[in-house]
């Protein structure tokens, strides 16, 4: 088939095979259809060769890389100027459509598809772009002649320098070609330098003037076969300043982009990334990127070309010397670009003409055809429709889950139909991290914690889980958020967003809280039990460094009489009464516990007026209950006296309690050193008995 009879190619990008098949059925008779299953595959296809695609039909919601991300890449690489894009989506909210048009789409088609509408819009869009291309070609032909004259004048001027320098006539051509290749590679790898497609010809042309200052350098220094003396080298170095000054003197043209760029290149193409270059000793990114790239191209061509002072090195040897730092330090990113584009540089520098190389590229357009099964498109569509219906029924049955998807670029949260209703939110929210409704639903802090967990995930560990309260159906419910971060692998992995679900686990959480409370609290009084209070006291002592604390232990005097006279049920009521009194006479921040039987514990900060506070608590706990006289004995230890170890505080309080009882009960006693001897004597008497 001749070139004139070849069908135009349409790239269909959709993760649904069914949707791709429907569109292929509609358009396959008139156009050659190429398919991509997601945004990442579409970008890879365009990266191979974007010139043979006449139109792209692009879905929005896809895994790996969604439609908006594809458009962002197409804008960065200027593909959007040459390839019309029709967005296809079931979502047609105003914000969605507006954002698509902002990113450069030509048209927007909603699903389900109408065959006649799709067909008409595809034809109109391709015809419109064909007319634009013809107009551009007419203008380009006129501009080409003008640019050709400009290039010719620059080449003549730069060749005068080469002639004086004894270099081959290909040096300028090599620098130009290599600069263009490195610029294209840099633009693929990073947006750091804000390079535009229009910058490439300007920087490439300006590179031809990098050594124009050598016009003023004496010939005997330029063409000296041996090593230059220190004085000669200092003279040689001045060519950078001379060339910059020559350009700076072009008063009528000094504000032109070409002259500004040429000035940067002339002055700074001998600067080095570590600051050891000349003439100004610039460091790192202080050196304009145009000068950095030309510097690398200049060194490479000098190594691989014959000079009066050296033979030509091979491509491999030149790369080795540059990457090993034998020719100075270069930007690590540019070294990566040099390695990545090394073969392309070798091939293109072997060709004497840029036009020959362009012709070769045109002849070698890569074909990317998707081979279908031995199944007609119509049969395949019916089978996929049934498969899609089965999937839909299955996911619809998961009614207790709120499913969501978040994309970073653009920042957008998409909720399932059921999820949007349960959260009383829109199905699509742009910039959700700044949306008041989403912040209300998730209680801002919860949303921020989830965001941080997602950002900390990796390609090896992409799944995160978080439990927190979320407003579901108008009620704060404990829920579990489970999500997986999504990654793109265009050059190096970068996070594109996440997908996940929210599971209501309020009842389960309540049961767990009840079990935790049962494990940490006394069943009769509701106070903390001894093991839980011990853990909390230790935590408070650790967190409260620099503060003093007291620990008090008390029991009910003659409590056995209450059980003996009125029964154990009455005794339990007395204990509950004491627990209520203890709670009402202390603060929520204080730790109160039942440590066993009729024995209780209080832990609080030792602050000003603590003696009067202890006295008040003591008297609040004494009195009557249903005719039963209640008095208590209490022992108190202070951390500033006995240290901050829980065992010491508890043990000394217990000794003070023992002392209070030995002194006749119904009183409280602070621990002091004299109690050691008293208790030691009591222990020895007990031992003899």
């Amino acid at each position: 088939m001749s070139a004139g009879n070849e069908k135009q190619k349409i790239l269909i990008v959709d993760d649904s095979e069914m949707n791709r098949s429907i569109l292929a059925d509609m358009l396959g008779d008139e156009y050659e259809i190429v398919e991509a299953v997601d945004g990442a595959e579409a970008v890879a296809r365009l990266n191979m060769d974007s010139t043979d695609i006449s139109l792209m039909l692009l879905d929005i919601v896809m895994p790996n890389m969604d439609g908006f991300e594809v458009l962002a890449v197409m804008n960065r690489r200027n593909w959007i100027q040459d390839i019309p894009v029709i967005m296809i989506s079931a979502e047609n909210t105003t914000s969605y459509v507006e954002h698509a048009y902002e990113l450069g789409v030509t048209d927007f088609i909603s699903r389900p598809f109408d065959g006649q509408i799709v067909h008409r819009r595809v034809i109109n869009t391709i015809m419109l772009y064909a007319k634009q291309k013809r107009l551009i070609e007419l203008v380009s032909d006129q501009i080409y002649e003008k640019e050709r004259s400009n290039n010719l004048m620059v080449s003549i001027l730069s060749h005068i320098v080469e002639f004086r320098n004894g270099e081959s006539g290909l040096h300028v051509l090599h620098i130009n070609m290599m600069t263009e290749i490195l610029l294209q590679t840099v633009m693929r790898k990073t947006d750091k330098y804000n390079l535009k497609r229009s910058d490439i010809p300007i920087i490439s042309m300006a590179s031809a003037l990098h050594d124009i200052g050598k016009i003023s350098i004496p010939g005997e220094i330029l063409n000296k076969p041996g090593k230059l003396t220190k004085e000669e080298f200092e003279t040689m170095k001045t060519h950078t300043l001379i060339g910059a000054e020559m350009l700076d003197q072009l008063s009528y043209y000094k504000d032109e982009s070409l002259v500004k760029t040429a000035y940067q290149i002339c002055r700074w193409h001998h600067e080095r990334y570590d600051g050891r270059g000349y003439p100004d000793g610039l460091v790192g990114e202080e050196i304009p990127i145009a000068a950095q790239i030309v510097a690398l191209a200049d060194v490479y061509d000098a190594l691989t070309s014959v000079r009066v002072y050296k033979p030509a090195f091979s491509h491999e040897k030149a790369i080795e010397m540059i990457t090993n730092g034998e020719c100075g330090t270069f930007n690590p990113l540019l070294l990566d670009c040099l390695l990545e584009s090394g073969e392309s540089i070798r091939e293109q520098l072997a060709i004497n003409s840029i036009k020959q190389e362009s012709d070769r590229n045109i002849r070698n357009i890569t074909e990317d055809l998707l081979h279908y099964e031995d199944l007609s498109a119509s049969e395949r569509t019916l089978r996929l429709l049934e498969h899609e219906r089965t999937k839909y029924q299955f996911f619809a049955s998961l009614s207790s889950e709120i499913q969501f998807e978040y994309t970073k670029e653009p920042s957008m949260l998409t909720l399932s139909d059921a999820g949007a209703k349960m959260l009383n939110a829109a199905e699509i929210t742009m910039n959700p991290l700044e949306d008041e409704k989403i912040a209300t639903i998730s209680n801002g802090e919860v949303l921020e914690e989830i965001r941080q967990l997602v950002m900390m995930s990796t390609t090896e560990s992409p799944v995160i889980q978080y439990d927190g309260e979320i407003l579901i159906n108008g009620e704060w419910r404990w829920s579990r958020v489970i999500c997986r971060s999504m990654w793109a692998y265009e050059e190096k992995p970068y996070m594109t967003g996440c997908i996940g679900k929210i599971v209501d686990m309020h009842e389960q959480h309540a049961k767990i809280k009840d079990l935790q409370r049962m494990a940490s609290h006394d069943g009769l009084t509701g106070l903390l039990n001894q093991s839980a209070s011990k853990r909390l006291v230790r935590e408070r002592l650790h967190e409260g460094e620099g503060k003093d604390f007291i620990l008090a232990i008390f029991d009910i005097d003659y409590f056995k009489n209450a059980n003996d006279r009125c029964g154990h049920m009455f005794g339990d009521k007395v204990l509950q009464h004491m627990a209520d009194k203890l709670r009402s006479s202390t603060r929520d921040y204080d730790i109160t516990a039942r440590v066993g039987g009729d024995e209780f514990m209080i832990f609080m900060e030792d602050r000003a007026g603590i003696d009067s506070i202890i006295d008040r608590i003591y008297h609040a706990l004494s009195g009557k209950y249903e005719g039963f006289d209640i008095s208590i004995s209490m022992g108190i230890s202070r951390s500033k006296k006995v240290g901050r170890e829980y065992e010491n505080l508890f043990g000394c309080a217990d000794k003070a309690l023992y002392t209070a009882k030995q002194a006749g009960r119904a009183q409280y006693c602070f621990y002091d050193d004299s109690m050691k001897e008293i208790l030691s004597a009591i222990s020895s008497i007990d031992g003899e008995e």
Side-chain angles (χ1 to χ4, degrees), residues 190-374:
T190 182
D191 298 326
K192 177 179 178 180
Y193 299 105
N194 297 317
L195 291 167
K196 301 184 293 294
R197 193 173 184 175
S198 58
D199 293 329
I200 294 178
I202 292 175
I203 296 174
S204 298
M205 185 184 295
S207 70
L209 301 173
H210 68 287
D211 276 341
I212 194 170
K214 288 183 178 179
I215 289 176
S216 297
I217 303 299
E220 59 268 24
I221 294 178
L222 282 176
N223 299 306
K224 183 177 179 179
K227 185 177 180 180
L228 298 178
T229 66
K230 183 178 180 181
E231 292 73 21
E232 289 171 339
F233 183 62
E234 289 300 319
T235 300
M236 177 67 81
K237 287 163 61 175
T238 62
H239 81 274
T240 56
L241 297 173
I242 294 169
E245 184 179 2
M246 290 170 64
L247 292 165
D248 196 46
Q249 295 301 317
L250 298 174
S251 55
Y252 291 105
Y253 305 103
K254 63 189 305 180
D255 292 329
E256 294 289 333
S257 296
L258 176 64
V259 176
K260 286 181 177 180
T261 304
Y263 177 94
Q264 294 175 355
I265 293 171
C266 281
R267 185 177 184 110
W268 294 310
H269 72 281
H270 280 289
E271 299 285 358
R272 292 296 177 260
Y273 208 70
D274 58 359
R276 297 184 179 182
Y278 63 90
D280 300 314
L282 301 185
V283 179
E285 298 303 338
E286 293 177 354
I287 311 168
I289 188 61
Q292 290 190 52
I293 290 175
V294 172
L296 185 58
D298 190 29
V299 167
Y300 174 89
D301 191 62
L303 291 173
T304 55
S305 302
V306 175
R307 293 288 187 267
V308 293
Y309 53 87
K310 59 169 278 297
F313 294 112
S314 67
H315 168 81
E316 291 77 14
K317 181 62 177 177
I319 295 291
E320 178 185 346
M321 293 174 70
I322 292 171
T323 54
N324 285 346
E326 296 179 40
C327 306
T329 305
F330 293 93
N331 186 336
L333 174 64
L334 293 187
L335 293 180
D336 288 342
C337 293
L338 177 64
L339 293 172
E340 183 175 317
S341 56
E343 285 306 310
S344 177
I345 290 170
R346 186 212 298 266
E347 291 173 6
Q348 293 202 33
L349 294 191
I351 300 172
N352 293 335
S353 166
I354 295 177
K355 183 178 184 305
Q356 289 175 356
E357 175 62 12
S358 299
D359 292 342
R360 189 183 67 83
N361 284 336
I362 292 171
R363 290 194 302 269
N364 292 329
I365 294 174
T366 305
E367 293 185 355
D368 184 18
L369 300 175
L370 182 65
H371 297 285
Y372 292 89
E373 300 172 19
D374 295 330

Side-chain angles (χ1 to χ4, degrees), residues 82-145:
D82 301 319
I83 302 173
V85 178
I86 297 178
M87 209 69 154
I88 52 174
S89 176
E91 179 53 60
N92 58 2
T93 57
T94 302
S95 59
Y96 242 16
V97 177
E98 286 180 352
H99 191 59
Y101 280 116
E102 287 172 358
L103 290 172
V105 302
T106 306
D107 207 344
F108 194 103
I109 300 176
S110 298
R111 289 200 297 261
F113 305 117
D114 183 302
Q116 290 185 345
I117 291 176
V118 171
H119 187 262
R120 187 69 260 169
R121 289 187 176 179
V122 165
I123 291 175
N124 289 346
T125 301
I126 290 177
M127 288 177 62
L128 175 64
Y129 264 68
K131 289 179 181 178
Q132 289 178 342
K133 285 181 178 179
R134 283 197 294 272
L135 287 172
I136 290 171
E137 287 171 1
L138 288 173
V139 175
S140 296
D141 288 340
Q142 298 174 27
I143 294 175
Y144 173 78
E145 288 303 320

